Amino acid sequence: MRQISLREFRTRGTKALQAVPVGETILLSGQDGPTFFLVPVMGDVAAEDRELRRAIAKASLRNSWKLANASPPLTEEEIDKEVSQVRSKRKR
């Protein structure tokens, strides 16, 4: 996988991509900003899309697990209170 800076991609777009072999995934990254993958689509586009969505879902789930592990566990009373609050909002 090749890595290209977002700045280089913005300024040199096509030329930056020409150095990458056909079919290789590219990682676009900034200093502090977002990171993106450019994934080539070849063959069955529907299968490629499913694989990409699955990878995104797995990454999101891992992030949720990290957040859940970072917070202290809830007591039974806290869970019941939260559930009752949500149910009362739904009734309104």
Side-chain angles (χ1 to χ4, degrees):
M1 176 181 356
R2 297 281 172 103
Q3 183 172 344
I4 299 175
S5 71
L6 283 171
R7 182 177 184 182
E8 180 181 5
F9 184 70
R10 280 194 312 267
T11 58
R12 296 187 46 227
T14 304
K15 288 186 180 185
L17 296 178
Q18 287 175 345
V20 179
V22 175
E24 187 172 336
T25 301
I26 301 167
L27 175 66
L28 295 178
S29 59
Q31 279 184 324
D32 298 323
T35 301
F36 303 95
F37 281 110
L38 290 180
V39 181
V41 177
M42 300 177 286
D44 185 9
V45 175
E48 295 283 337
D49 183 55
R50 278 192 302 272
E51 290 177 28
L52 181 58
R53 289 176 187 266
R54 186 173 292 126
I56 292 169
K58 284 181 180 180
S60 177
L61 187 57
R62 278 193 299 271
N63 190 37
S64 295
W65 288 340
K66 285 180 187 176
L67 290 173
N69 288 333
S71 61
L74 295 174
T75 64
E76 290 288 329
E77 293 81 22
E78 291 171 325
I79 294 171
D80 290 339
K81 182 179 177 182
E82 191 171 328
V83 168
S84 64
Q85 286 175 348
V86 170
R87 286 180 178 165
S88 67
K89 286 181 184 178
R90 285 185 181 175
K91 288 180 182 179
R92 294 180 198 165

